[in-house]
Amino acid sequence: MLKEGSRDELSTEELKKVLGEIAQIGPEAMVVLTGGEPLLRKDIEELARHATSKGLMVVVGSNGLLLTPERIEKLKNAGVAGVGLSVDSLDPDWHDAFRGRKGAWIKTMASIDACVAAGMPFQIHFSATDETADEIDDMVTFARNAGAMVLNVFFMVCTGRGEKYSDISPEKYEAVLRRVAEAARSEKKLMVRAKCAPHFKRIAMEMDPNWPITSAHGYDAGGCIAATRYARITPNGNVTPCPYMENSVGSVREKSFSEIWETAPVLNELRAPKLEGRCGACEFQKLCGGCRARPLARDGNMMGEDFLCNYEPQGGAIIDPIGPVAGAMKWSKDAETHIARIPGFVRRMVRRRAEDYVRAEGRSEVTSDDLTLLAKRKFGDAGPPAFARNLGGGAGKGDAK
């Protein structure tokens, strides 16, 4: 890798073209500019500005080393709606060793402080491994006290390493997911989500069948969205179903993103999966479906069973998710003004929850009072954190692609 990036990376103009293509098929989509380290690109603000001009919502995923107060202001001015910051451990030495750079932890902490000072919404990204799984409770406390809006707990899929295909054991995986589910249910000042962990839905349903956090109730926490609402575009233009799948389904240098998204056989296979092994026999196969990247990495079989899951199917009927509710929901002018103040990367979920609530009440219009009531239910009488309440409007809502 060259200091300025690989010679075959997409140029600024090529990326602008791709962003335009994404906007055509998903005019309110979320674009995540990540890496590697996206802030190494000198045109990142130009790309963010172009994306937001097309109606896309832009967030940046960073290790925080280059996220100075000055850079945050540039990103805000370019329309960036929020940033995700990787915190690999609360042990500075472990974090630095994982990042391969002494002093990385201190710089990441400084970037968090800079986001708070600038009013830039941010998420903490924590990857649970066998070495760090026991930090989950402390990480929840840290993210809450730091002022993060979201704690995303990731579960990595190792690729290209030959003999190892996961950084966590099935036992710790299950234990961490249960703790994440408990935190997601109990936290009042922090949204806690599992990422790349479809089994979260099973655990949530086992914990409380009526808890509206599984896709059966319209919320995708923990679930795999590869090929349905997400795809990765690599620096050189290859499209893959997710960051952990290295199988290219096409190049945006050869076809438009929309053509790849709509016609690539692998993407369409993932949208109607024919699962094998325990996944194919599991009653949670539609809610969960397992991770497709893990069996692909280990066995070259994208539809094989997810070996990190230790659940044994019970032979019950397959649980069907509740599909989208028909009928458009109206939003009053004051409600639209209210939701515009909510940071972009959680706005879509708030909108959906509000509509579900109003629909259950037998009404057809969401008001600002409804949003206030739901906020009190989630955060108590104090409402959401002040910096979240006071943020101005910005980019639109939408799914991640």
Side-chain angles (χ1 to χ4, degrees):
M1 179 67 72
L2 302 175
K3 184 176 180 180
E4 298 299 324
S6 173
R7 287 193 178 93
D8 66 345
E9 284 189 8
L10 294 170
S11 68
T12 302
E13 292 308 312
E14 285 177 315
L15 282 167
K16 285 183 176 180
K17 179 175 179 291
V18 173
L19 289 167
E21 294 167 354
I22 293 172
Q24 287 178 349
I25 62 171
E28 294 181 334
M30 177 192 294
V31 173
V32 182
L33 301 177
T34 186
E37 177 47 56
L39 296 182
L40 288 172
R41 282 195 67 123
K42 296 179 180 179
D43 61 355
I44 198 74
E45 286 86 8
E46 182 179 354
L47 294 173
R49 189 174 293 107
H50 182 79
T52 54
S53 75
K54 298 292 184 181
L56 300 170
M57 185 178 77
V58 180
V59 297
V60 172
S62 172
N63 59 28
L65 300 186
L66 300 176
L67 200 60
T68 62
E70 295 76 19
R71 198 68 187 272
I72 292 173
E73 285 303 316
K74 289 181 180 179
L75 292 173
K76 287 181 65 177
N77 292 336
V80 171
V83 297
L85 295 167
S86 297
V87 179
D88 304 302
S89 172
L90 296 177
D91 178 343
D93 291 335
W94 202 100
H95 177 96
D96 288 358
F98 185 85
R99 289 287 151 182
R101 181 166 179 171
K102 186 74 172 175
W105 192 87
I106 293 176
K107 287 191 175 182
T108 300
M109 295 302 107
S111 71
I112 291 174
D113 291 340
C115 284
V116 173
M120 171 67 88
F122 69 97
Q123 310 177 20
I124 298 295
H125 295 171
F126 169 63
S127 293
T129 69
D130 267 340
E131 291 80 6
T132 63
D134 293 338
E135 292 190 47
I136 185 64
D137 288 335
D138 290 339
M139 190 61 71
V140 169
T141 301
F142 167 78
R144 182 202 315 127
N145 293 342
M149 292 204 66
V150 182
L151 170 64
N152 285 324
V153 181
F154 285 83
F155 297 86
M156 296 187 293
V157 179
C158 303
T159 57
R161 299 187 187 181
E163 76 284 353
K164 191 176 181 184
Y165 298 93
S166 176
D167 273 342
I168 194 168
S169 66
E171 293 75 22
K172 281 197 175 181
Y173 179 60
E174 182 89 2
V176 172
L177 278 180
R178 289 194 178 278
R179 179 61 190 108
V180 171
E182 291 167 358
R185 195 177 185 193
S186 63
E187 283 295 316
K188 299 300 183 184
K189 296 296 183 182
L190 177 71
M191 183 182 298
V192 182
R193 304 190 296 195
K195 291 289 188 177
C196 303
H199 316 119
F200 178 88
K201 294 200 184 75
R202 166 181 58 82
I203 290 171
M205 185 159 281
E206 289 173 341
M207 186 178 295
D208 182 357
N210 297 315
W211 182 20
I213 199 169
T214 73
S215 65
H217 300 271
Y219 180 47
D220 57 18
C224 177
I225 57 177
T228 57
R229 296 207 314 278
Y230 182 92
R232 172 183 67 156
I233 302 175
T234 67
N236 63 359
N238 286 321
V239 178
T240 75
C242 84
Y244 298 128
M245 288 185 177
E246 298 180 332
N247 51 329
S248 173
V249 301
S251 170
V252 295
R253 282 180 163 145
E254 299 171 359
K255 298 179 181 179
S256 69
F257 179 81
S258 59
E259 182 180 357
I260 295 171
W261 178 256
E262 292 166 1
T263 67
V266 168
L267 299 184
N268 284 316
E269 187 179 357
L270 286 167
R271 291 163 188 158
K274 296 179 180 179
L275 304 177
E276 302 174 10
R278 285 180 299 136
C279 289
C282 186
E283 59 270 31
F284 292 97
Q285 62 181 265
K286 289 187 178 180
L287 284 180
C288 168
C291 174
R292 299 297 98 218
R294 291 191 188 105
L296 179 65
R298 188 182 73 173
D299 306 319
N301 179 10
M302 191 170 65
M303 294 298 153
E305 70 175 45
D306 184 345
F307 54 85
L308 195 56
C309 176
N310 60 11
Y311 178 76
E312 291 295 334
Q314 301 299 301
I318 295 175
I319 301 170
D320 284 308
I322 296 174
V325 179
M329 180 68 64
K330 296 179 182 178
W331 281 67
S332 67
K333 185 176 180 180
D334 62 342
E336 289 287 6
T337 300
H338 188 138
I339 200 167
R341 295 196 297 267
I342 296 173
F345 49 70
V346 296
R347 193 179 301 144
R348 175 178 172 273
M349 187 191 68
V350 173
R351 180 178 286 272
R352 181 186 292 176
R353 284 182 173 177
E355 291 185 352
D356 287 346
Y357 166 75
V358 171
R359 192 175 284 112
E361 290 283 304
R363 296 184 283 115
S364 60
E365 183 178 60
V366 179
T367 69
S368 182
D369 288 342
D370 294 320
L371 296 174
T372 299
L373 175 62
L374 291 173
K376 285 185 177 180
R377 287 185 176 181
K378 171 65 179 174
F379 300 107
D381 290 336
F387 81 94
R389 293 196 305 268
N390 296 332
L391 287 169
K397 54 276 171 203
D399 298 333
K401 286 184 182 173

